[in-house]
Amino acid sequence: MAEVSVKNLTKKFGKFTALDDVSMEFPDGGFFALLGPSGSGKTTLLRTIAGFLFADRGSIHIGDKSVDQIPVEKREIGMMFQNYALFPNMSIADNVGFGLRVRKVGSDEERRRVGEALELVQLSNLGDRKPHQLSGGQRQRVALARAIVTNPRVLLLDEPLSALDKSLRVDMQVELKRIQHEIGITTIFVTHDQEEALTLSDKIGILRDGRMIQSGPPRSVYNNPVDRFTAEFLGDANIIVESDGNGRLNVSGNQSIKIPRGAETASALAVRPESLSISATEPEQEGLYKVNGTLVQRMFAGATSTCIVQCDDHTYKMVARDQDVPILSEGENIWLSWKPEQTIVIP
Ligand SMILES: Nc1ncnc2c1ncn2[C@@H]1O[C@H](COP(=O)(O)OP(=O)(O)O)[C@@H](O)[C@H]1O
Ligand SMILES: [Mg+2]
């Protein structure tokens, strides 16, 4: 059953429509990412689910109950935002226990539950410290402990990791996923980082201009984007070319690729950089799609290398394990190839 379900939500700020008929289901215990460019309505959706904002149309259910008339504090929601503020003068334990004191749970139970929450985020021995005595990553975990200590049904996270540097962010992603898995809480995570969304979630929803343009499991959205925006937003996509409508796709000058069956009405075909192979000579294998071009640039990035290839008026990007990229000089004539089934058909 869906733990959270959002139906036909529309939210306007004056004349501006921030959410436009948004629907999405968030099944129980799942990890969901809301992804979209800045200004697409992610925060507005999260704040509407939390109850800080009220929709002009549509409804929100948590469990089997409509929460449209239910205020924030009764929605059983835990929240963490990018600019989470810890109380500077309170100890870590008191910060974490704040929501419990508001709910008047009693000091023994507060101590026990704060202890459990701090253990979960692996900060058991730091309860007596003050926020300024912790690192950025530790403070982040305190904020998370504070969000879950009240045993909410749903955890809402608004770009909680975007202030952290890359390596700390990756550590926190792993940590967040572990904690979410351990307590099995339905989690909705807002991010504008596509890699973060793909890595962490069971299901993603893509927002653009206040509309939910696609939702589904990350792999399925990545491999079957509904439009060109999603294809390009969710990772690099080499748009091969728009269809000429005659069942052929003229890649450039003298090169052509037959459109896969059933894709004759596609608006475009694309191929991901990691689906491409590069070779100095024309690949002989039957049935491969291939294009001929010039290696413009090869960039080494440790485990992988990225090649930029110019095929007449088309620029392709390909990424492969460094050892799978043959020694080639920039300016050399090369072939790119891929399997027909790796072609992304954009409706
Ligand atoms: N309180 C508000 N008043 C007017 N416009 C707002 C308000 N909050 C958000 N908006 C507008 O709604 C759009 C979506 O905002 P937001 O949900 O914060 O986007 P995101 O989180 O995806 O970056 C933006 O264009 C923003 O300027
Ligand atoms: Mg936002």
Side-chain angles (χ1 to χ4, degrees), residues 13 16 18 36-45 53 158-159 190:
F13 295 110
F16 179 79
S38 178
S40 57
K42 305 179 298 294
T43 295
T44 304
L45 178 54
L53 292 172
D158 193 355
E159 310 217 18
V190 162

Side-chain angles (χ1 to χ4, degrees), residues 125-347:
N125 50 348
L126 301 184
D128 294 333
R129 290 210 191 159
K130 294 278 170 60
H132 75 271
Q133 296 170 308
L134 300 186
S135 70
Q138 288 170 330
R139 281 200 292 267
Q140 205 91 23
R141 285 190 272 161
V142 173
L144 183 59
R146 187 176 63 176
I148 59 184
V149 76
T150 55
N151 276 331
R153 294 179 70 149
V154 182
L155 185 59
L156 303 179
L157 305 168
D158 193 355
E159 310 217 18
L161 309 184
S162 59
L164 303 177
D165 63 49
K166 171 114 179 148
S167 76
L168 194 52
R169 192 162 77 228
V170 172
D171 290 349
M172 276 302 291
Q173 287 171 1
V174 173
E175 187 75 342
L176 193 57
K177 186 81 188 171
R178 173 188 68 77
I179 291 167
Q180 190 271 338
H181 193 76
E182 209 167 306
I183 58 179
I185 187 170
T186 308
T187 301
I188 307 177
F189 181 92
V190 162
T191 178
H192 62 263
D193 178 336
Q194 41 97 358
E195 209 174 296
E196 191 164 270
L198 295 172
T199 315
L200 285 173
S201 58
D202 306 313
K203 183 177 174 185
I204 60 178
I206 313 266
L207 279 164
R208 183 192 189 189
D209 297 336
R211 279 179 301 127
M212 183 71 75
I213 51 179
Q214 187 169 12
S215 65
R219 189 171 274 108
S220 133
V221 178
Y222 187 77
N223 291 327
N224 305 293
V226 292
D227 60 14
R228 189 165 168 163
F229 168 81
T230 311
E232 292 180 313
F233 188 67
L234 263 194
D236 287 311
N238 293 297
I239 301 290
I240 302 167
V241 85
E242 269 99 334
S243 163
D244 67 358
N246 297 323
R248 284 200 91 77
L249 198 66
N250 299 310
V251 174
S252 56
N254 52 0
Q255 304 182 32
S256 69
I257 286 169
K258 199 166 177 346
I259 292 182
R261 270 185 44 191
E264 293 80 3
T265 58
S267 68
L269 300 192
V271 60
R272 298 282 184 202
E274 69 273 18
S275 300
L276 293 169
S277 299
I278 192 167
S279 56
T281 53
E282 181 172 357
E284 285 169 6
Q285 197 187 326
E286 280 288 307
L288 284 184
Y289 285 176
K290 50 199 171 187
V291 291
N292 186 230
T294 305
L295 179 65
V296 177
Q297 214 182 355
R298 174 180 180 159
M299 295 168 285
F300 176 67
T304 60
S305 272
T306 299
C307 296
I308 305 297
V309 173
Q310 193 68 34
C311 299
D312 295 330
D313 56 350
H314 248 77
T315 306
Y316 283 80
K317 182 172 172 183
M318 71 84 65
V319 179
R321 290 194 308 171
D322 188 63
Q323 68 247 46
D324 294 340
V325 179
I327 309 287
L328 296 161
S329 313
E330 290 175 2
E332 223 176 302
N333 183 46
I334 61 91
W335 289 84
L336 289 176
S337 58
W338 68 98
K339 298 189 185 122
E341 64 269 25
Q342 288 172 313
T343 306
I344 294 175
V345 177
I346 300 173

Side-chain angles (χ1 to χ4, degrees), residues 5-41:
S5 129
V6 164
K7 285 197 195 99
N8 306 110
L9 225 51
T10 293
K11 172 70 190 169
K12 293 187 176 183
F13 295 110
K15 284 203 169 114
F16 179 79
T17 306
L19 294 178
D20 186 0
D21 200 29
V22 168
S23 298
M24 185 162 166
E25 302 258 295
F26 303 90
D28 196 8
F31 198 116
F32 307 97
L34 296 175
L35 183 65
S38 178
S40 57

